[in-house]
Amino acid sequence: MNDTPAAPKSVPRIPADQLHEYVRAIWEQAGSSPREAQLVADHLVTASLTGHDSHGVGMIPRYVASLREHELKLNAHASVVKDVGAVLTLDGGKGFGQVVAYEAMEQGIERARKLGVCAVALRNAHHIGRIGHWAEQCAKAGFVSFHFVNVAGDPLVAPFGGADRRIGTNPFCAAFPREGKAPLVLDFATSAVAYGKTRVAYNQGKPVPPGALIDHEGKPTVDPKVMMEPPFGALMPVGGQAGGHKGFGLAAMCEIFGGALSGGYTTHEDTLQKTSAIVNCMLSVIIDPAAFDAPDAQAEADAFVEWVKASPLAAGAERIYAPGEPERATRAQREANGVPVDPETWRQIREAALAAGLSLERTDSWAARLK
Ligand SMILES: NC(=O)c1ccc[n+]([C@@H]2O[C@H](COP(=O)([O-])OP(=O)(O)OC[C@H]3O[C@@H](n4cnc5c(N)ncnc54)[C@H](O)[C@@H]3O)[C@@H](O)[C@H]2O)c1
């Protein structure tokens, strides 16, 4: 993920503020309110800055396709369907995940401030992107949070012991805010590797690491073709051949907590054809750390992080990272040097901008500015 010294020189880099302005312009042109366009740009550019290109500005073409298929509703807001104090259930109404998840976190934070804790279930949201973004929103306000997310009706991952795709790449995320320091943020897909990484390997003609994929017969393979061409294989859950029962278990709980408990839906025969868009459901538990009897929690967390970082480095390792540190390192580097956007992704974004209604003249004047 870190691209500091190794980034190929040929990949153009775009200053983050200009990229942000361009993303905002695309969505305002498509019909989003200025606030919506701002929230979408904040999210996508931050995902790109933190190195998660699979969830960054490269998602724009997919979002524009969802809009044209009427599977993404502009200017929709999270609506409260049930409110019992410390438990809130919200419906995203197929609105921009970048808006409805933001609103869900706002409401959950406000409630946790009053009650010490709030469990917020959000269903029926269009793609909510990089989940760390939502944990960071909670951490910024001083709150601990954990998030269970399903990708409803969109299977790519095999259950442990199974031979075909049955589950989404269901991300899990947890964050701990730290006084005067950046929060600890753990945020990952429960598949052994992200789907986007198999696409990159396929395009580059490279194998994926062993233990990440099975073919259509359930046999282990390192050939990413099985994710791109029929007969399709599947991703393994986190832990692969050896520890995949743990990744599968976590993915299953994301499916149930995110998809079922929110009143949304899980992945099974009846939900496979529901939508062409990426629909996420998320259960977030937001906690005020001050509600515990733990005056030393910050010092204890600091001592632990220091302790693990003092481990002698294993062969080949350059350093030990705390959760969230790799993203911060990449962000600092990309804020200084620009966000790398490869020519093919840039071509797709430009096409999507035109499809969203941005005039050729405006798009090309942006393209010239962004070079
Ligand atoms: N919305 C969706 O439907 C959806 C689905 C799947 C994934 N996602 C998102 O995709 C993104 C990428 O997921 P991923 O599984 O590829 O992430 P990943 O494999 O890069 O893992 C990221 C996590 O591991 C930590 N980490 C990475 N390298 C580390 C190291 N060397 N030492 C210690 N910690 C380290 C990071 O700080 C981060 O918490 C996430 O933001 C996730 O939320 C979203």
Side-chain angles (χ1 to χ4, degrees):
M1 202 181 69
N2 284 327
D3 61 344
T4 316
K9 287 211 170 60
S10 56
V11 177
R13 287 182 173 267
I14 301 175
D17 56 342
Q18 291 187 24
L19 195 55
H20 191 279
E21 223 180 310
Y22 184 55
V23 177
R24 258 185 13 232
I26 293 173
W27 291 107
E28 282 197 34
Q29 184 64 44
S32 287
S33 67
R35 177 179 176 270
E36 176 161 286
Q38 168 88 26
L39 288 173
V40 174
D42 287 352
H43 187 108
L44 295 181
V45 174
T46 302
S48 291
L49 277 172
T50 52
H52 291 295
D53 296 311
S54 53
H55 289 70
V57 295
M59 286 305 290
I60 292 170
R62 184 86 201 259
Y63 290 1
V64 169
S66 293
L67 179 65
R68 298 180 92 190
E69 288 154 13
H70 308 287
E71 295 291 333
L72 163 64
K73 309 272 177 246
L74 297 186
N75 303 312
H77 296 280
S79 59
V80 178
V81 285
K82 191 167 177 185
D83 177 353
V84 297
V87 181
L88 284 172
T89 306
L90 307 181
D91 196 304
K94 284 197 180 175
F96 252 127
Q98 285 75 6
V99 174
V100 295
Y102 181 85
E103 292 171 347
M105 294 307 98
E106 269 188 329
Q107 296 200 33
I109 289 167
E110 190 201 320
R111 209 47 79 85
R113 194 169 275 129
K114 277 192 200 132
L115 301 173
V117 63
C118 182
V120 195
L122 172 67
R123 68 194 188 207
N124 206 17
H126 187 263
H127 191 232
I128 60 176
R130 176 184 160 254
I131 310 308
H133 198 86
W134 312 121
E136 283 163 5
Q137 186 181 341
C138 297
K140 202 170 168 197
F143 293 82
V144 166
S145 66
F146 27 95
H147 310 258
F148 299 86
V149 181
N150 86 331
V151 192
D154 192 4
L156 291 170
V157 185
F160 188 62
D164 69 355
R165 34 176 83 183
R166 300 267 157 172
I167 324 164
T169 52
N170 297 359
F172 171 76
C173 178
F176 179 80
R178 299 171 82 195
E179 281 161 17
K181 297 190 180 88
L184 299 173
V185 181
L186 177 65
D187 170 30
F188 59 86
T190 50
S191 47
V193 294
Y195 175 70
K197 287 176 188 159
T198 65
R199 193 182 53 234
V200 171
Y202 175 77
N203 289 343
Q204 296 177 346
K206 289 186 181 160
V208 295
L213 290 177
I214 51 173
D215 67 15
H216 68 288
E217 291 176 331
K219 295 193 189 115
T221 177
V222 292
D223 189 349
K225 188 170 87 172
V226 301
M227 297 307 293
M228 304 296 145
E229 296 173 23
F232 289 113
L235 292 162
M236 289 291 289
V238 146
Q241 299 292 334
H245 57 292
K246 301 176 193 180
F248 165 53
L250 190 51
M253 297 322 259
C254 285
E255 194 74 38
I256 307 292
F257 290 167
L261 213 48
S262 66
Y265 60 97
T266 62
T267 302
H268 51 85
E269 193 69 43
D270 301 341
T271 60
L272 298 181
Q273 306 300 331
K274 247 176 149 39
T275 175
S276 55
I278 308 171
V279 168
N280 284 134
C281 304
M282 171 165 71
L283 174 71
S284 303
V285 180
I286 303 170
I287 306 171
D288 181 355
F292 292 102
D293 177 30
D296 297 333
Q298 288 289 325
E300 284 296 319
D302 286 355
F304 170 73
V305 171
E306 218 173 285
W307 162 250
V308 291
K309 285 186 159 229
S311 176
L313 288 180
E318 283 174 12
R319 59 173 285 190
I320 293 165
Y321 289 99
E325 266 188 336
E327 284 75 12
R328 278 199 303 287
T330 305
R331 183 174 186 150
Q333 197 276 332
R334 290 186 173 189
E335 273 173 350
N337 301 325
V339 175
V341 182
D342 66 82
E344 174 55 19
T345 301
W346 179 247
R347 187 192 64 72
Q348 291 172 5
I349 293 172
R350 185 179 169 280
E351 249 177 37
L354 291 172
L358 215 60
S359 68
L360 189 59
E361 200 181 23
R362 275 188 81 196
T363 304
D364 283 351
S365 78
W366 273 106
R369 275 179 64 189
L370 295 180
K371 266 183 194 150

